[in-house]
């Protein structure tokens, strides 16, 4: 088979016959696929997978088909008259006990979401008015000022409602356009008419002529469905499909008259009960429907929506065992093949480099005029490549048919269609045909041993006289491979999903075609450079390590001699009877292991090259952005007014009131005990201001000298150094008009600050260390692992030790931060809370319980700010609202609304505590949460907890009293709910703000396959979020108030002042620099 003149030559099939056979097989396959697709289309609009279609499956939902339908109505009546209409929402359900209960369930969700939506509309009104006032202040904007002044409040409200409507429903519009692009194939499975879908998208995109009340009702409807749907909020495509059905039943989006939007409660929550019973995707379990099914997950529910299924079905089979390995290689087949190509190019270069043994790397021709081993190499690699791609494509088609079988024929991202199938069958066919063609036309020669030192006379490769003729077929194959590789794998969609409905909106947001194309070219060039570096490393480092080591030269195995071109060599494997001998096997194994190391090394070298390139490019970018020496504390800070460099930068960035900002920063460092009272006075005097901000400095006190940060504690010095170094970027990118753009500018408008919600999920982490914990740790037994529930037993899980057995936990913290403990003692003494400023006396007073409750609280807070605690994250998040509250214009804004807490329209912090008041939690954590809420009652801090079976009776009574006062509540109407609270200063207890009853627990599923806890907890808080922007925080983060002053400038990256279309932001996600603060708390923290 491998040599000419053998007896098997006559058995070799003709290439033409093989091509004809493959064509016939492909034709039959296409006919069978066409018949299968036609059979699927004949199923019309009936969804064969819908579990809601049969009476037997109704038990899956926990209700019977013959149960009476309960219906509740709620009229949409916002406080703003312009947004009021005769629209109403209807909720129908078979699970609820009466029509009144259905109405109550609906009202609780409608009232909560309506208040949130109204606040967002008013925030947008304020932003538009601020934009108009800013335009009026610009020197060359007289026409804009006139236009702004001519707009009545009603017109501004109307424009704001249009923006909020587009923002809220842009995901639904995207769904409409995607499903509409499916055409006839999608309608075979029940998808709506394409023109109707495009009409819905146009009604959302071009909503200027539509009634404001109707726009408000449509936006509210989606929010209510998200709230009632509970975890279905994580399935936006499913919500879009259900929303489309509701709109269709209400008469579409064309009319402006009164409309009733009917929501089917069971259909809305379809899939959640199935997930509650079974979420293991690898095991089939008998369900109440009588069928054995794999476990559902949120991806299945979501895809059922984008596939326009009436019910929920399993749409994807998760790989397990061997399938995981296959899935990995198929998913990364293109990057792996690209790396194999770089190795192939490296090998070709190496064969002419002279860096190996003479017979292998010398006298093989030039790069463009190959001979001997290089000519064989080109043909052999073509054969190997064709075989690999033919096998890959066949395995890929079979694997995808198995994995996506439940969804084949439907339109959904990631589901192969007919075009995908034809592409990969074509690639498999071309690869197989290419293999046969190159193999039949191969021209392979062995290189004589005499040619190791010469390429003259008899060492001239006879094929070099006609290189084109010998390599023509091979060159055609490689050209076709390059074209197919690029055509089949070029990026057709953005890597980053912007979430905007169409290219027009993306262009208005600053993401046009040219900008994306230029970015893609830069990225592609960077990757070509990195792959080129890999080739250099492989040629110079990897391949020379195998000099003289191959099966032929080392072991005498001549099996591949004709393909490699190496001459025959005597060795341990030359004789046929020695192939299975120990010497041959060990030789082959050793050489193979070496080449495998080279192969795997060539696959992972891109990892190291990438990080080297990232470091180099990142360094250049950091230098261009002036991010060098961000924490350099050796540079002096000159805050002399109108003279110092940093003072001028401070004023250009924050405006004429920069000294007030500086005072807040210095006082915050003092309150955190990061500096002493005397050092705080130095910082303020350097800027020419006093500590209290009331009396002006006397001539004797006015010591305006540069600040030398090296004289301050390390952390405080680094914070201040970073603050001033990063101001350069803000001043360069965010300040265009100082009077309106700086936070203390003369014409700065508080409405220009976007609303932000910060969500902090917590389960059972330490909130504030208890007094008992701080006093413990010094006993020898405290250094041992603890047994849970004081019930030791062999093999039981253990809890961490309570201390080191030598020092108390507080003493250990003091040993880590001795200066900061001294600062705390001085601050408490200066404020009149302790009799002595000595740190030792403060410690002994705490240990002997001689301190006042206020001092004990301050010590606990001091400790929590120096360990991983929930309170540290909460206090850090509150810094943003407190920073805004110190601004003059913000104070003027909230002076008009005395009933509001400071900055609650601009910033709110939601602590979503999953185990608050529950036996699974910790009573000490509950007490600490209340302490936090009470201490920061003036700030916009809210607690959201999960009310469920087992929650403390006093919390149940508190919620039931709130619902009774609100009206319509009947005892036993719900078993679990999400509750939002704040602290009531007058009554010194929690005050319920909103209650959202739920049908399901936060986490669904059984055993090890429950849904992710943190995501569910974040979702619990997200339902109450009022901000346009959301910041997700974890319980290991903190911040400095100086960084909080920069957040308004950062939020302008989403929505710049000059942006005309405010519906689509310029970006969707921003990553914040994270400071790993545990690094300074001990060796483990580092």
């Amino acid at each position: 088979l491998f040599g000419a003149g053998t007896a098997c030559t006559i058995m070799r099939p003709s290439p033409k016959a093989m091509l004809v056979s493959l064509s016939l097989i492909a034709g039959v396959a296409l006919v069978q696929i066409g018949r299968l697709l036609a059979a699927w289309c004949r199923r019309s609009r009936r969804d064969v997978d819908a579990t809601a279609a049969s009476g037997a499956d109704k038990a899956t939902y926990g209700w019977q088909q013959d149960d009476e339908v309960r219906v509740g109505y709620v009229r949409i009546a916002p406080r703003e008259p312009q947004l009021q209409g005769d629209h109403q929402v209807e909720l129908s359900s078979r699970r609820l006990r009466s029509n009144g209960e259905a109405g109550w369930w609906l009202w609780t969700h409608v009232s909560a979401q309506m208040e949130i939506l109204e606040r967002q509309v008013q925030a947008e009104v304020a932003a538009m008015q601020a934009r108009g006032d800013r335009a009026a202040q610009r020197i060359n904007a007289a026409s804009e000022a006139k236009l702004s002044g001519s707009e009545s409040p009603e017109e501004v409200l109307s424009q704001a409602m249009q923006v909020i409507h587009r923002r809220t429903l842009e995901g639904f519009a995207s769904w409409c356009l995607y499903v509409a692009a499916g055409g006839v194939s999608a309608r075979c499975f029940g998808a709506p008419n394409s023109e109707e879908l495009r009409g819905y998208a146009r009604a959302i995109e071009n909503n200027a002529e539509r009634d404001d009340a109707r726009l408000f009702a449509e936006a509210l409807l989606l929010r209510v469905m998200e709230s009632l749907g509970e975890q279905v909020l994580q399935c936006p495509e499913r919500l879009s499909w259900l929303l489309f059905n509701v709109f269709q039943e209400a008469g579409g989006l064309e009319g402006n008259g009164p409309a009733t939007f009917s929501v089917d409660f069971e259909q809305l929550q379809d899939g959640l009960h199935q997930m509650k019973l079974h979420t293991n995707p690898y095991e089939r379990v008998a369900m109440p429907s009588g069928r054995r099914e794999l476990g559902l997950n949120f991806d299945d529910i979501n895809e059922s929506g984008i596939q326009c299924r009436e019910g929920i079905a399993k749409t994807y089979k998760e790989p397990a065992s061997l399938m995981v390995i296959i899935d990995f290689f198929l998913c990364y087949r293109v990057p792996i093949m690209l790396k194999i190509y770089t190795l192939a190019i490296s090998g070709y270069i190496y064969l002419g480099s002279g860096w190996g043994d003479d017979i292998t790397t010398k006298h093989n021709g030039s790069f463009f005029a190959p001979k001997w081993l290089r000519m064989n190499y080109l043909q052999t690699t073509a054969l190997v490549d064709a075989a690999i791609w033919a096998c890959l494509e066949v395995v890929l088609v079979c694997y995808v048919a198995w994995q996506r079988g439940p969804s084949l024929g439907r339109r959904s991202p990631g589901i192969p269609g007919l075009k995908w199938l034809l592409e990969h069958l074509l690639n498999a066919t071309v690869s197989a045909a290419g293999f046969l063609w190159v193999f039949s036309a191969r021209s392979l020669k062995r290189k004589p041993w005499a040619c190791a030192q010469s390429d003259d006379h008899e060492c001239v490769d006879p094929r070099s006289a006609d290189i084109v003729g010998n390599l023509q077929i091979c060159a055609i194959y490689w050209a076709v491979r390059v074209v197919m590789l690029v055509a089949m794998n070029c990026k057709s969609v953005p890597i980053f999903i912007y979430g905007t409905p169409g290219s027009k909106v993306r262009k208005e947001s600053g993401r046009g075609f040219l900008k994306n194309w230029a970015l893609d070219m830069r990225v592609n060039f960077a990757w070509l450079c990195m792959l080129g570096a890999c080739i250099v490393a492989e040629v110079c480092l990897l391949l020379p390590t195998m000099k003289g080591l191959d099966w032929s030269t080392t072991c005498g195995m001549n099996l591949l001699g004709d393909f490699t071109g190496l001459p025959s060599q005597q060795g341990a494997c030359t004789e046929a009877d020695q192939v299975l001998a120990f010497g041959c096997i060990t030789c082959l194994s050793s050489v193979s292991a070496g080449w495998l190391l080279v192969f795997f090394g060539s696959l992972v070298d891109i990892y190291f090259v990438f990080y080297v390139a990232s470091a180099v490019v990142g360094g250049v970018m950091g230098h261009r952005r002036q991010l060098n020496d961000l924490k350099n504390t050796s540079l002096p800070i000159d805050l002399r007014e109108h003279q110092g460099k940093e003072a001028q930068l401070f004023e250009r960035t924050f405006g004429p009131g920069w000294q007030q900002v500086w005072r807040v920063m210095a006082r915050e460092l003092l309150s955190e005990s990061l500096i002493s009272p005397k050092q705080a006075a130095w910082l303020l005097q350097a800027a020419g201001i006093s500590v209290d901000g009331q009396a002006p400095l006397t001539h004797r006190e006015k010591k305006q000298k540069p600040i030398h940060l090296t004289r301050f504690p390390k952390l405080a010095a680094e914070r201040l150094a970073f603050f001033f170094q990063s101001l350069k970027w803000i001043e360069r990118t965010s300040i265009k008009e100082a009077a309106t753009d700086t936070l203390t500018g003369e014409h700065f408008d508080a409405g220009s600050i976007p609303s932000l919600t910060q969500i902090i999920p917590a389960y059972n982490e330490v909130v504030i260390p208890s007094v008992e914990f701080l006093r413990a740790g010094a006993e020898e037994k405290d250094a041992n692992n603890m047994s849970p529930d004081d019930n030791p037993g062999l093999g039981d899980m253990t809890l961490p030790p309570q201390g080191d057995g030598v020092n108390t936990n507080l003493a250990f913290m003091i040993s880590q931060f001795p200066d900061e403990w001294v600062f705390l003692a001085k601050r408490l003494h200066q404020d009149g809370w302790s009799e002595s400023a000595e740190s030792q006396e403060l410690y002994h007073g705490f240990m002997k319980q001689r301190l006042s409750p206020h001092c004990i609280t301050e010590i606990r807070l001091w400790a929590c700010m120096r360990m991983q605690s929930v309170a540290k994250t909460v206090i850090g998040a509150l810094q943003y609202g407190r920073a805004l509250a110190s601004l003059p214009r913000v104070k003027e804004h909230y002076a008009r609304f005395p009933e509001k807490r400071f900055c609650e329209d601009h910033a709110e912090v939601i602590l979503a505590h999953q185990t608050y008041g529950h036996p699974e939690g910790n009573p000490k954590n509950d007490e600490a949460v209340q302490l936090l809420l009470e201490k920061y009652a003036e700030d916009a801090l809210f607690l959201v907890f999960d009310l469920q079976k087992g929650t403390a009776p006093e919390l149940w009574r508190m919620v039931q009293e709130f619902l009774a006062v609100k009206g319509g509540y009947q005892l036993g109407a719900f078993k679990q709910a999400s509750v939002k609270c704040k602290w009531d200063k007058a009554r010194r207890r929690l005050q319920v703000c909103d209650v959202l009853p739920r049908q399901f627990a936060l986490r669904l599923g059984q055993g090890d396959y429950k849904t992710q806890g943190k995501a569910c907890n974040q979702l619990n808080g997200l339902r109450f979020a009022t901000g346009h922007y959301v910041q997700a925080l974890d319980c290991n983060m903190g911040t400095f108030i100086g960084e909080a002053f920069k957040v308004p400038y950062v939020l302008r990256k989403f929505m710049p002042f000059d942006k005309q279309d405010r519906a689509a932001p310029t970006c969707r996600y921003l990553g914040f620099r994270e400071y790993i603060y545990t690094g300074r708390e001990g060796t483990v923290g580092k």
Side-chain angles (χ1 to χ4, degrees), residues 72-88:
Y73 299 87
V74 171
R75 182 174 176 270
I76 300 175
R79 290 189 297 267
E80 180 61 48
Q82 188 174 337
L83 302 179
Q84 295 176 1
D86 293 328
H87 310 293
Q88 62 181 8

Side-chain angles (χ1 to χ4, degrees), residues 115 145 172 208 240 287 454 535 596 712 772 785 870:
E115 181 180 356
F172 173 69
S240 294
M287 299 295 287
S454 171
I535 292 175
L596 277 176
F712 287 78
E772 293 77 12
N785 288 340
V870 176

Side-chain angles (χ1 to χ4, degrees), residues 815-843:
S815 69
Q816 299 298 304
F817 315 105
D819 292 340
E820 296 172 19
W821 178 254
V822 172
F823 298 155
L824 173 65
K826 292 181 178 180
R827 178 170 62 84
L828 292 177
H829 176 68
Q830 185 184 55
D831 293 343
W833 293 108
S834 65
E835 298 178 356
S836 174
E838 293 296 326
S839 58
Q840 288 289 342
E841 292 189 17
L842 181 65
Y843 174 74

Side-chain angles (χ1 to χ4, degrees), residues 1 3-11:
L1 182 63
T6 64
C8 296
T9 303
I10 59 173
M11 301 296 294

Side-chain angles (χ1 to χ4, degrees), residues 127 224 253 355 444 486 502 509 523 552 573 638 816 914 983 1052:
V224 171
L253 301 181
W355 293 344
L444 304 174
V486 173
S509 300
V523 171
S552 178
C573 301
D638 191 350
Q816 299 298 304
Q914 192 170 343
W983 189 259
R1052 293 177 190 174

